[in-house]
C-alpha cells in the first residue's frame, strides 16, 4: 500500500477536520476549546521560571561528573567512558530542554500580544463599520 493510499484510509477513518453534527460546549457555531489570555500568560510565566531554574541549577553537577569520568578513564575503569557519555547526554538534553522552555515562553508571550492586537484591529474595524452604517 502506498503512502497516499494509507494516508487516505487513515484520514477517512478519523475524519480529519470534521465538524460534528451536534455542536460542542461552545454552542452552535461556537468553539469547543477556549483559553483566556491570563491562562496563557501563566503557562508562559511558568515556562520562563523553569527556563531560569534549569539554566541555573541543571548544570551544577557537570564539572564533577566530567572530572569523575576522566579520573575513572585514567585508571582504566570502563565505567569512565560510560560516565562521560552520561555527562555528554545530560549536557545536550539540558540545552534542548532549556531551549524548549524558552520557545514555549516566547511563543505564548507572542500569542497573547498578537491576539490582543488582532482583537483591537477587529474592534476598530467594527467601530468603523458602525460609523459607516450611520453615515449612509
Amino acid at each position: 500500500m502506498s503512502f497516499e493510499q494509507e494516508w487516505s484510509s487513515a484520514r477517512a477513518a478519523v475524519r480529519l477536520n470534521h465538524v460534528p453534527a451536534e455542536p460542542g460546549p461552545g454552542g452552535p457555531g461556537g468553539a469547543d476549546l477556549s483559553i483566556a489570555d491570563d491562562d496563557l500568560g501563566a503557562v508562559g510565566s511558568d515556562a520562563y521560571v523553569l527556563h531560569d531554574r534549569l539554566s541555573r541549577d541543571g548544570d551544577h553537577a557537570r564539572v564533577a561528573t566530567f572530572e569523575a569520568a576522566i579520573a575513572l578513564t585514567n585508571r582504566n575503569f570502563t565505567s569512565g567512558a560510560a560516565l562521560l557519555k552520561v555527562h555528554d547526554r545530560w549536557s545536550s538534553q539540558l540545552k534542548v530542554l532549556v531551549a524548549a522552555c524558552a520557545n514555549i515562553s516566547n511563543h505564548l508571550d507572542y500569542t497573547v500580544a498578537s491576539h490582543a492586537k488582532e482583537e483591537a484591529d477587529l474592534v476598530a474595524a467594527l467601530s468603523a463599520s458602525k460609523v459607516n452604517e450611520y453615515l449612509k
Side-chain angles (χ1 to χ4, degrees), residues 60-82:
H60 70 273
R62 183 181 52 80
V63 174
T65 304
F66 181 76
E67 290 172 353
I70 296 303
L72 288 168
T73 302
N74 288 342
R75 288 175 179 78
N76 295 322
F77 285 97
T78 56
S79 59

Side-chain angles (χ1 to χ4, degrees), residues 41-100:
V43 173
S45 176
D46 288 346
Y48 180 77
V49 168
L50 183 58
H51 171 272
D52 282 351
R53 296 263 336 259
L54 283 170
S55 297
R56 184 178 57 248
D57 299 335
D59 206 26
H60 70 273
R62 183 181 52 80
V63 174
T65 304
F66 181 76
E67 290 172 353
I70 296 303
L72 288 168
T73 302
N74 288 342
R75 288 175 179 78
N76 295 322
F77 285 97
T78 56
S79 59
L83 188 56
L84 189 57
K85 283 183 183 179
V86 169
H87 166 270
D88 294 345
R89 181 64 54 96
W90 178 265
S91 294
S92 68
Q93 293 301 307
L94 179 63
K95 289 176 187 173
V96 169
L97 189 56
V98 168

Side-chain angles (χ1 to χ4, degrees), residues 6 9-10 13 20 23 26 38 44 46 53 55 65-66 69 75 77 99-100 103 105 108-109 121 124 127 132-133:
E6 189 174 343
S9 75
D38 290 345
D46 288 346
R53 296 263 336 259
S55 297
T65 304
F66 181 76
R75 288 175 179 78
F77 285 97
N103 285 338
S105 177
L108 291 176
D109 288 346
D121 290 347
S127 297
N132 284 339
E133 184 179 308

